[in-house]
Amino acid sequence: MEKPKDKPEVEVSDAALRDLVGYNMKRAFNVVQADLARTLEPFGLRMLTFSALSMIVENPGLRPSQLAGALSVERANVVVYVDQLEEAGWVTRAPSETDRRAYALQCTLAGRQVYDKARAAVRAHDRRMLDGLREVEIAAVKKALMRIEGLG
Amino acid sequence: MEKPKDKPEVEVSDAALRDLVGYNMKRAFNVVQADLARTLEPFGLRMLTFSALSMIVENPGLRPSQLAGALSVERANVVVYVDQLEEAGWVTRAPSETDRRAYALQCTLAGRQVYDKARAAVRAHDRRMLDGLREVEIAAVKKALMRIEGLG
DNA sequence: CTTGGGTAGTTATGAAATATAACTAATGAG
DNA sequence: CTCATTAGTTATATTTCATAACTACCCAAG
């Protein structure tokens, strides 16, 4: 049997995987995720705490279980996000008027201020990620992504 | 001060996040990842072990450190993937001819067979994810994803 | 040849994200 | 009132991924 040669200098090919949109999506998303984390870090936010804060700003009085549904995460994990946002003084847990088990999540003035700044930074990050793409291409990407999401 | 109302029945809006391509990408990728995991599970493969196997099939004699670079993961994690592939009898660690520290990764006949079947299933999964999109749109998505990846 | 800095693979470990199970308190239908 | 269900929480397990340190080895300078 002939010995297997190793490839110390030759370029590694991933052509078979490149065919797959999922592979390209994972690699692109890794880049986006890393850049977004760097973008949010100065604000003391992470991807999911920023998303949660955004949801609370957009939907005042939102309840944790609704937040879990909107973010597609478990209720148990939402507790951690809200804890962090509450400790930072950006979100409050007000008692619900209609259900004594539930809370109405509200964002504070400080929360609104950090959100506005973080949102501007995130939008700049998003534009950076799309740099060099034409509007029609961006639209195609958004449409495709939302269609894919709808399959799940 | 007026009491905060909660929103027990109203639909939760994520419009601010929907503007961001990164948010749409994360949600779409979650769907893709879940479907891919279901697709690979019957073969005893996961996303990264399938990717590793594909790389080894495409690049016989590949070395673990090269595999780490190609997959953008740490060398230490590659050990785990190769361990799994080796235990399943799909990949062998042959001694390198040129460097006694290194291994030349080879896929076995059984490895090639499971790869061919898994690859067909993954390609079907990929087509399923793109169902309803036109060729031009798919091309735009691929181009955009590769461009975004190039920023990292 | 020898010596020292760097590299390949491995191991052990830690950090972070995410999921599961069980608990308390409250709701709401019958 | 009773009881199955739900909201929020807690504790815990799992998984993923990165870091540090180790051995064996390579290689180039002296």
Side-chain angles (χ1 to χ4, degrees), chain A:
Chain A
M1 191 193 289
E2 48 187 326
K3 290 213 190 131
K5 278 238 196 83
D6 54 344
K7 325 196 113 193
E9 71 277 350
V10 186
E11 197 55 34
V12 180
S13 161
D14 64 349
L17 294 173
R18 279 291 167 200
D19 269 354
L20 304 166
V21 174
Y23 179 75
N24 289 285
M25 200 185 299
K26 176 176 171 52
R27 295 191 68 97
F29 182 62
N30 280 349
V31 172
V32 171
Q33 201 170 25
D35 190 82
L36 179 59
R38 277 191 298 272
T39 299
L40 287 173
E41 194 272 331
F43 301 98
L45 288 164
R46 294 174 301 121
M47 191 164 57
L48 276 166
T49 51
F50 172 78
S51 298
L53 183 56
S54 174
M55 293 281 190
I56 295 168
V57 168
E58 265 197 286
N59 305 276
L62 188 74
R63 286 159 24 168
S65 60
Q66 293 177 297
L67 186 52
L71 293 175
S72 302
V73 298
E74 294 300 315
R75 288 191 312 281
N77 298 323
V78 167
V79 177
V80 181
Y81 310 148
V82 176
D83 279 350
Q84 291 178 13
L85 293 171
E86 198 179 34
E87 280 171 33
W90 297 329
V91 158
T92 60
R93 283 185 239 235
S96 164
E97 291 181 332
T98 57
D99 188 336
R100 280 191 293 166
R101 295 170 302 179
Y103 289 112
L105 298 174
Q106 292 281 128
C107 107
T108 64
L109 179 59
R112 179 72 207 206
Q113 287 169 347
V114 74
Y115 172 68
D116 286 342
K117 285 179 192 158
R119 179 156 190 263
V122 170
R123 289 174 72 90
H125 143 83
D126 212 63
R127 280 193 299 273
R128 204 159 55 235
M129 293 294 100
L130 297 170
D131 189 46
L133 292 174
R134 290 171 306 168
E135 277 307 317
V136 59
E137 293 171 320
I138 296 175
V141 171
K142 269 195 192 172
K143 176 188 168 188
L145 291 176
M146 292 186 71
R147 177 161 225 134
I148 291 169
E149 179 189 339
L151 299 173

